PDB file of all heavy atoms in Angstrom:
ATOM      1  N   GLY B  25     103.413  72.200  82.997  1.00 97.00           N
ATOM      2  CA  GLY B  25     102.399  72.916  82.236  1.00 97.00           C
ATOM      3  C   GLY B  25     101.052  72.749  82.895  1.00 97.00           C
ATOM      4  O   GLY B  25     100.910  71.984  83.867  1.00 97.00           O
ATOM      5  N   LEU B  26     100.048  73.439  82.380  1.00 98.00           N
ATOM      6  CA  LEU B  26      98.701  73.405  82.953  1.00 98.00           C
ATOM      7  C   LEU B  26      97.756  72.574  82.080  1.00 98.00           C
ATOM      8  O   LEU B  26      97.734  72.716  80.860  1.00 98.00           O
ATOM      9  CB  LEU B  26      98.138  74.824  83.064  1.00 98.00           C
ATOM     10  CG  LEU B  26      98.771  75.716  84.133  1.00 98.00           C
ATOM     11  CD1 LEU B  26      98.366  77.165  83.901  1.00 98.00           C
ATOM     12  CD2 LEU B  26      98.346  75.272  85.519  1.00 98.00           C
ATOM     13  N   LEU B  27      96.982  71.720  82.728  1.00 97.00           N
ATOM     14  CA  LEU B  27      95.997  70.913  82.006  1.00 97.00           C
ATOM     15  C   LEU B  27      94.777  71.748  81.625  1.00 97.00           C
ATOM     16  O   LEU B  27      94.251  72.521  82.432  1.00 97.00           O
ATOM     17  CB  LEU B  27      95.548  69.734  82.859  1.00 97.00           C
ATOM     18  CG  LEU B  27      96.524  68.559  82.973  1.00 97.00           C
ATOM     19  CD1 LEU B  27      96.024  67.565  84.017  1.00 97.00           C
ATOM     20  CD2 LEU B  27      96.691  67.869  81.626  1.00 97.00           C
ATOM     21  N   HIS B  28      94.343  71.569  80.379  1.00 97.00           N
ATOM     22  CA  HIS B  28      93.155  72.255  79.869  1.00 97.00           C
ATOM     23  C   HIS B  28      92.357  71.277  79.023  1.00 97.00           C
ATOM     24  O   HIS B  28      92.916  70.576  78.170  1.00 97.00           O
ATOM     25  CB  HIS B  28      93.557  73.461  79.028  1.00 97.00           C
ATOM     26  CG  HIS B  28      92.461  73.993  78.151  1.00 97.00           C
ATOM     27  ND1 HIS B  28      91.279  74.479  78.667  1.00 97.00           N
ATOM     28  CD2 HIS B  28      92.359  74.087  76.791  1.00 97.00           C
ATOM     29  CE1 HIS B  28      90.500  74.867  77.663  1.00 97.00           C
ATOM     30  NE2 HIS B  28      91.118  74.635  76.530  1.00 97.00           N
ATOM     31  N   HIS B  29      91.036  71.221  79.273  1.00 96.00           N
ATOM     32  CA  HIS B  29      90.190  70.331  78.479  1.00 96.00           C
ATOM     33  C   HIS B  29      89.613  71.080  77.286  1.00 96.00           C
ATOM     34  O   HIS B  29      88.902  72.073  77.445  1.00 96.00           O
ATOM     35  CB  HIS B  29      89.055  69.746  79.309  1.00 96.00           C
ATOM     36  CG  HIS B  29      88.273  68.704  78.579  1.00 96.00           C
ATOM     37  ND1 HIS B  29      87.028  68.947  78.017  1.00 96.00           N
ATOM     38  CD2 HIS B  29      88.575  67.410  78.290  1.00 96.00           C
ATOM     39  CE1 HIS B  29      86.605  67.854  77.421  1.00 96.00           C
ATOM     40  NE2 HIS B  29      87.509  66.904  77.579  1.00 96.00           N
ATOM     41  N   ASP B  30      89.961  70.610  76.102  1.00 95.00           N
ATOM     42  CA  ASP B  30      89.427  71.181  74.859  1.00 95.00           C
ATOM     43  C   ASP B  30      88.084  70.522  74.585  1.00 95.00           C
ATOM     44  O   ASP B  30      88.009  69.406  74.072  1.00 95.00           O
ATOM     45  CB  ASP B  30      90.410  70.909  73.717  1.00 95.00           C
ATOM     46  CG  ASP B  30      89.928  71.449  72.379  1.00 95.00           C
ATOM     47  OD1 ASP B  30      88.779  71.945  72.300  1.00 95.00           O
ATOM     48  OD2 ASP B  30      90.694  71.382  71.405  1.00 95.00           O
ATOM     49  N   GLY B  31      87.006  71.232  74.953  1.00 92.00           N
ATOM     50  CA  GLY B  31      85.671  70.666  74.817  1.00 92.00           C
ATOM     51  C   GLY B  31      85.264  70.416  73.384  1.00 92.00           C
ATOM     52  O   GLY B  31      84.522  69.471  73.092  1.00 92.00           O
ATOM     53  N   GLU B  32      85.738  71.248  72.465  1.00 93.00           N
ATOM     54  CA  GLU B  32      85.369  71.097  71.056  1.00 93.00           C
ATOM     55  C   GLU B  32      85.851  69.761  70.492  1.00 93.00           C
ATOM     56  O   GLU B  32      85.141  69.090  69.747  1.00 93.00           O
ATOM     57  CB  GLU B  32      85.957  72.249  70.243  1.00 93.00           C
ATOM     58  CG  GLU B  32      85.597  72.187  68.762  1.00 93.00           C
ATOM     59  CD  GLU B  32      86.169  73.349  67.979  1.00 93.00           C
ATOM     60  OE1 GLU B  32      86.758  74.270  68.597  1.00 93.00           O
ATOM     61  OE2 GLU B  32      86.035  73.337  66.736  1.00 93.00           O
ATOM     62  N   HIS B  33      87.058  69.364  70.863  1.00 92.00           N
ATOM     63  CA  HIS B  33      87.622  68.113  70.358  1.00 92.00           C
ATOM     64  C   HIS B  33      87.630  67.006  71.419  1.00 92.00           C
ATOM     65  O   HIS B  33      88.085  65.891  71.138  1.00 92.00           O
ATOM     66  CB  HIS B  33      89.046  68.354  69.864  1.00 92.00           C
ATOM     67  CG  HIS B  33      89.136  69.352  68.747  1.00 92.00           C
ATOM     68  ND1 HIS B  33      89.450  70.676  68.956  1.00 92.00           N
ATOM     69  CD2 HIS B  33      88.908  69.216  67.421  1.00 92.00           C
ATOM     70  CE1 HIS B  33      89.450  71.314  67.794  1.00 92.00           C
ATOM     71  NE2 HIS B  33      89.116  70.464  66.849  1.00 92.00           N
ATOM     72  N   ASN B  34      87.136  67.327  72.603  1.00 92.00           N
ATOM     73  CA  ASN B  34      87.039  66.378  73.714  1.00 92.00           C
ATOM     74  C   ASN B  34      88.385  65.709  74.005  1.00 92.00           C
ATOM     75  O   ASN B  34      88.488  64.485  74.127  1.00 92.00           O
ATOM     76  CB  ASN B  34      85.972  65.309  73.424  1.00 92.00           C
ATOM     77  CG  ASN B  34      85.626  64.521  74.679  1.00 92.00           C
ATOM     78  OD1 ASN B  34      85.703  65.041  75.795  1.00 92.00           O
ATOM     79  ND2 ASN B  34      85.240  63.262  74.510  1.00 92.00           N
ATOM     80  N   ILE B  35      89.421  66.545  74.120  1.00 92.00           N
ATOM     81  CA  ILE B  35      90.737  66.028  74.471  1.00 92.00           C
ATOM     82  C   ILE B  35      91.353  66.918  75.546  1.00 92.00           C
ATOM     83  O   ILE B  35      91.025  68.095  75.665  1.00 92.00           O
ATOM     84  CB  ILE B  35      91.698  65.974  73.257  1.00 92.00           C
ATOM     85  CG1 ILE B  35      91.910  67.373  72.671  1.00 92.00           C
ATOM     86  CG2 ILE B  35      91.213  65.000  72.202  1.00 92.00           C
ATOM     87  CD1 ILE B  35      93.018  67.444  71.649  1.00 92.00           C
ATOM     88  N   TRP B  36      92.270  66.330  76.318  1.00 95.00           N
ATOM     89  CA  TRP B  36      93.038  67.100  77.281  1.00 95.00           C
ATOM     90  C   TRP B  36      94.298  67.627  76.616  1.00 95.00           C
ATOM     91  O   TRP B  36      94.961  66.916  75.855  1.00 95.00           O
ATOM     92  CB  TRP B  36      93.398  66.250  78.495  1.00 95.00           C
ATOM     93  CG  TRP B  36      92.250  66.079  79.441  1.00 95.00           C
ATOM     94  CD1 TRP B  36      91.363  65.036  79.471  1.00 95.00           C
ATOM     95  CD2 TRP B  36      91.853  66.990  80.468  1.00 95.00           C
ATOM     96  NE1 TRP B  36      90.436  65.242  80.467  1.00 95.00           N
ATOM     97  CE2 TRP B  36      90.703  66.434  81.094  1.00 95.00           C
ATOM     98  CE3 TRP B  36      92.338  68.210  80.918  1.00 95.00           C
ATOM     99  CZ2 TRP B  36      90.055  67.056  82.146  1.00 95.00           C
ATOM    100  CZ3 TRP B  36      91.694  68.843  81.973  1.00 95.00           C
ATOM    101  CH2 TRP B  36      90.563  68.277  82.585  1.00 95.00           C
ATOM    102  N   GLN B  37      94.601  68.872  76.903  1.00 96.00           N
ATOM    103  CA  GLN B  37      95.805  69.512  76.399  1.00 96.00           C
ATOM    104  C   GLN B  37      96.672  69.977  77.565  1.00 96.00           C
ATOM    105  O   GLN B  37      96.188  70.100  78.684  1.00 96.00           O
ATOM    106  CB  GLN B  37      95.450  70.721  75.529  1.00 96.00           C
ATOM    107  CG  GLN B  37      94.649  70.406  74.294  1.00 96.00           C
ATOM    108  CD  GLN B  37      94.279  71.676  73.525  1.00 96.00           C
ATOM    109  OE1 GLN B  37      93.991  72.708  74.130  1.00 96.00           O
ATOM    110  NE2 GLN B  37      94.300  71.605  72.206  1.00 96.00           N
ATOM    111  N   VAL B  38      97.925  70.256  77.254  1.00 97.00           N
ATOM    112  CA  VAL B  38      98.826  70.871  78.227  1.00 97.00           C
ATOM    113  C   VAL B  38      99.261  72.221  77.669  1.00 97.00           C
ATOM    114  O   VAL B  38      99.796  72.296  76.561  1.00 97.00           O
ATOM    115  CB  VAL B  38     100.058  69.999  78.508  1.00 97.00           C
ATOM    116  CG1 VAL B  38     100.965  70.691  79.537  1.00 97.00           C
ATOM    117  CG2 VAL B  38      99.642  68.625  79.020  1.00 97.00           C
ATOM    118  N   ILE B  39      98.995  73.280  78.434  1.00 98.00           N
ATOM    119  CA  ILE B  39      99.458  74.618  78.060  1.00 98.00           C
ATOM    120  C   ILE B  39     100.816  74.813  78.710  1.00 98.00           C
ATOM    121  O   ILE B  39     100.955  74.732  79.932  1.00 98.00           O
ATOM    122  CB  ILE B  39      98.470  75.700  78.534  1.00 98.00           C
ATOM    123  CG1 ILE B  39      97.082  75.457  77.932  1.00 98.00           C
ATOM    124  CG2 ILE B  39      98.975  77.089  78.159  1.00 98.00           C
ATOM    125  CD1 ILE B  39      96.012  76.402  78.465  1.00 98.00           C
ATOM    126  N   HIS B  40     101.821  75.069  77.883  1.00 97.00           N
ATOM    127  CA  HIS B  40     103.174  75.154  78.450  1.00 97.00           C
ATOM    128  C   HIS B  40     104.082  76.018  77.588  1.00 97.00           C
ATOM    129  O   HIS B  40     103.767  76.351  76.450  1.00 97.00           O
ATOM    130  CB  HIS B  40     103.770  73.750  78.623  1.00 97.00           C
ATOM    131  CG  HIS B  40     104.041  73.005  77.347  1.00 97.00           C
ATOM    132  ND1 HIS B  40     105.248  72.418  77.077  1.00 97.00           N
ATOM    133  CD2 HIS B  40     103.255  72.753  76.262  1.00 97.00           C
ATOM    134  CE1 HIS B  40     105.215  71.830  75.904  1.00 97.00           C
ATOM    135  NE2 HIS B  40     104.013  72.013  75.384  1.00 97.00           N
ATOM    136  N   ALA B  41     105.201  76.386  78.179  1.00 94.00           N
ATOM    137  CA  ALA B  41     106.241  77.161  77.499  1.00 94.00           C
ATOM    138  C   ALA B  41     107.511  76.323  77.508  1.00 94.00           C
ATOM    139  O   ALA B  41     107.967  75.898  78.566  1.00 94.00           O
ATOM    140  CB  ALA B  41     106.481  78.486  78.227  1.00 94.00           C
ATOM    141  N   VAL B  42     108.062  76.070  76.333  1.00 86.00           N
ATOM    142  CA  VAL B  42     109.237  75.198  76.253  1.00 86.00           C
ATOM    143  C   VAL B  42     110.173  75.701  75.160  1.00 86.00           C
ATOM    144  O   VAL B  42     109.719  76.117  74.099  1.00 86.00           O
ATOM    145  CB  VAL B  42     108.809  73.736  75.988  1.00 86.00           C
ATOM    146  CG1 VAL B  42     108.123  73.580  74.655  1.00 86.00           C
ATOM    147  CG2 VAL B  42     109.989  72.784  76.093  1.00 86.00           C
ATOM    148  N   PRO B  43     111.476  75.699  75.420  1.00 84.00           N
ATOM    149  CA  PRO B  43     112.423  76.137  74.390  1.00 84.00           C
ATOM    150  C   PRO B  43     112.857  74.978  73.500  1.00 84.00           C
ATOM    151  O   PRO B  43     112.854  73.817  73.908  1.00 84.00           O
ATOM    152  CB  PRO B  43     113.613  76.638  75.220  1.00 84.00           C
ATOM    153  CG  PRO B  43     113.612  75.732  76.413  1.00 84.00           C
ATOM    154  CD  PRO B  43     112.157  75.425  76.700  1.00 84.00           C
ATOM    155  N   GLY B  44     113.202  75.305  72.269  1.00 75.00           N
ATOM    156  CA  GLY B  44     113.886  74.342  71.416  1.00 75.00           C
ATOM    157  C   GLY B  44     113.037  73.363  70.640  1.00 75.00           C
ATOM    158  O   GLY B  44     113.568  72.605  69.836  1.00 75.00           O
ATOM    159  N   GLU B  45     111.713  73.326  70.863  1.00 73.00           N
ATOM    160  CA  GLU B  45     110.882  72.360  70.139  1.00 73.00           C
ATOM    161  C   GLU B  45     110.355  72.937  68.834  1.00 73.00           C
ATOM    162  O   GLU B  45     110.193  72.227  67.857  1.00 73.00           O
ATOM    163  CB  GLU B  45     109.723  71.887  71.015  1.00 73.00           C
ATOM    164  CG  GLU B  45     110.171  70.983  72.157  1.00 73.00           C
ATOM    165  CD  GLU B  45     109.007  70.388  72.931  1.00 73.00           C
ATOM    166  OE1 GLU B  45     107.843  70.749  72.641  1.00 73.00           O
ATOM    167  OE2 GLU B  45     109.267  69.580  73.836  1.00 73.00           O
ATOM    168  N   ASP B  46     110.055  74.241  68.831  1.00 73.00           N
ATOM    169  CA  ASP B  46     109.530  74.899  67.643  1.00 73.00           C
ATOM    170  C   ASP B  46     110.136  76.294  67.540  1.00 73.00           C
ATOM    171  O   ASP B  46     110.585  76.871  68.520  1.00 73.00           O
ATOM    172  CB  ASP B  46     107.991  75.016  67.703  1.00 73.00           C
ATOM    173  CG  ASP B  46     107.300  73.661  67.749  1.00 73.00           C
ATOM    174  OD1 ASP B  46     107.367  72.945  66.743  1.00 73.00           O
ATOM    175  OD2 ASP B  46     106.726  73.336  68.799  1.00 73.00           O
ATOM    176  N   GLU B  47     110.104  76.855  66.343  1.00 78.00           N
ATOM    177  CA  GLU B  47     110.536  78.228  66.126  1.00 78.00           C
ATOM    178  C   GLU B  47     109.417  78.994  65.432  1.00 78.00           C
ATOM    179  O   GLU B  47     108.888  78.515  64.434  1.00 78.00           O
ATOM    180  CB  GLU B  47     111.800  78.264  65.253  1.00 78.00           C
ATOM    181  CG  GLU B  47     113.042  77.717  65.933  1.00 78.00           C
ATOM    182  CD  GLU B  47     113.558  78.624  67.042  1.00 78.00           C
ATOM    183  OE1 GLU B  47     113.136  79.804  67.078  1.00 78.00           O
ATOM    184  OE2 GLU B  47     114.352  78.162  67.861  1.00 78.00           O
ATOM    185  N   PRO B  48     109.049  80.182  65.907  1.00 86.00           N
ATOM    186  CA  PRO B  48     109.499  80.815  67.152  1.00 86.00           C
ATOM    187  C   PRO B  48     109.034  80.006  68.376  1.00 86.00           C
ATOM    188  O   PRO B  48     108.152  79.165  68.267  1.00 86.00           O
ATOM    189  CB  PRO B  48     108.824  82.193  67.124  1.00 86.00           C
ATOM    190  CG  PRO B  48     108.256  82.364  65.759  1.00 86.00           C
ATOM    191  CD  PRO B  48     108.045  81.012  65.209  1.00 86.00           C
ATOM    192  N   GLU B  49     109.617  80.313  69.526  1.00 91.00           N
ATOM    193  CA  GLU B  49     109.343  79.549  70.739  1.00 91.00           C
ATOM    194  C   GLU B  49     108.115  80.096  71.472  1.00 91.00           C
ATOM    195  O   GLU B  49     108.189  80.557  72.599  1.00 91.00           O
ATOM    196  CB  GLU B  49     110.563  79.579  71.656  1.00 91.00           C
ATOM    197  CG  GLU B  49     111.772  78.868  71.062  1.00 91.00           C
ATOM    198  CD  GLU B  49     113.008  78.994  71.921  1.00 91.00           C
ATOM    199  OE1 GLU B  49     113.133  79.971  72.688  1.00 91.00           O
ATOM    200  OE2 GLU B  49     113.875  78.098  71.827  1.00 91.00           O
ATOM    201  N   TYR B  50     106.964  80.026  70.795  1.00 94.00           N
ATOM    202  CA  TYR B  50     105.724  80.494  71.394  1.00 94.00           C
ATOM    203  C   TYR B  50     105.224  79.506  72.441  1.00 94.00           C
ATOM    204  O   TYR B  50     105.456  78.298  72.350  1.00 94.00           O
ATOM    205  CB  TYR B  50     104.638  80.664  70.337  1.00 94.00           C
ATOM    206  CG  TYR B  50     104.866  81.771  69.342  1.00 94.00           C
ATOM    207  CD1 TYR B  50     104.716  81.542  67.975  1.00 94.00           C
ATOM    208  CD2 TYR B  50     105.206  83.060  69.769  1.00 94.00           C
ATOM    209  CE1 TYR B  50     104.903  82.564  67.044  1.00 94.00           C
ATOM    210  CE2 TYR B  50     105.400  84.084  68.845  1.00 94.00           C
ATOM    211  CZ  TYR B  50     105.252  83.826  67.489  1.00 94.00           C
ATOM    212  OH  TYR B  50     105.446  84.838  66.585  1.00 94.00           O
ATOM    213  N   MET B  51     104.479  80.020  73.413  1.00 95.00           N
ATOM    214  CA  MET B  51     103.718  79.142  74.302  1.00 95.00           C
ATOM    215  C   MET B  51     102.716  78.371  73.461  1.00 95.00           C
ATOM    216  O   MET B  51     102.255  78.863  72.437  1.00 95.00           O
ATOM    217  CB  MET B  51     102.971  79.967  75.354  1.00 95.00           C
ATOM    218  CG  MET B  51     103.822  80.424  76.495  1.00 95.00           C
ATOM    219  SD  MET B  51     102.831  81.341  77.683  1.00 95.00           S
ATOM    220  CE  MET B  51     101.368  80.290  77.754  1.00 95.00           C
ATOM    221  N   GLU B  52     102.364  77.178  73.908  1.00 96.00           N
ATOM    222  CA  GLU B  52     101.460  76.368  73.101  1.00 96.00           C
ATOM    223  C   GLU B  52     100.551  75.504  73.970  1.00 96.00           C
ATOM    224  O   GLU B  52     100.841  75.234  75.137  1.00 96.00           O
ATOM    225  CB  GLU B  52     102.251  75.476  72.152  1.00 96.00           C
ATOM    226  CG  GLU B  52     103.223  74.522  72.849  1.00 96.00           C
ATOM    227  CD  GLU B  52     104.071  73.742  71.869  1.00 96.00           C
ATOM    228  OE1 GLU B  52     103.732  73.733  70.668  1.00 96.00           O
ATOM    229  OE2 GLU B  52     105.063  73.144  72.298  1.00 96.00           O
ATOM    230  N   ALA B  53      99.456  75.100  73.360  1.00 96.00           N
ATOM    231  CA  ALA B  53      98.546  74.127  73.967  1.00 96.00           C
ATOM    232  C   ALA B  53      98.584  72.899  73.076  1.00 96.00           C
ATOM    233  O   ALA B  53      98.125  72.941  71.935  1.00 96.00           O
ATOM    234  CB  ALA B  53      97.124  74.689  74.047  1.00 96.00           C
ATOM    235  N   GLU B  54      99.170  71.818  73.589  1.00 94.00           N
ATOM    236  CA  GLU B  54      99.302  70.629  72.757  1.00 94.00           C
ATOM    237  C   GLU B  54      98.645  69.435  73.427  1.00 94.00           C
ATOM    238  O   GLU B  54      98.501  69.388  74.649  1.00 94.00           O
ATOM    239  CB  GLU B  54     100.761  70.329  72.432  1.00 94.00           C
ATOM    240  CG  GLU B  54     101.632  69.946  73.589  1.00 94.00           C
ATOM    241  CD  GLU B  54     103.083  69.702  73.169  1.00 94.00           C
ATOM    242  OE1 GLU B  54     103.418  69.947  71.997  1.00 94.00           O
ATOM    243  OE2 GLU B  54     103.867  69.282  74.036  1.00 94.00           O
ATOM    244  N   ALA B  55      98.249  68.487  72.601  1.00 94.00           N
ATOM    245  CA  ALA B  55      97.561  67.300  73.108  1.00 94.00           C
ATOM    246  C   ALA B  55      98.416  66.569  74.134  1.00 94.00           C
ATOM    247  O   ALA B  55      99.647  66.532  74.031  1.00 94.00           O
ATOM    248  CB  ALA B  55      97.217  66.365  71.951  1.00 94.00           C
TER     249      ALA B  55
END
């Protein structure tokens, strides 16, 4: 996944696409 810095919350996130963790299987930015 790609690293992205969330300036509002001052945390690093990973933007990625993954199957099977959530439904629907949307791309997500997670801590």
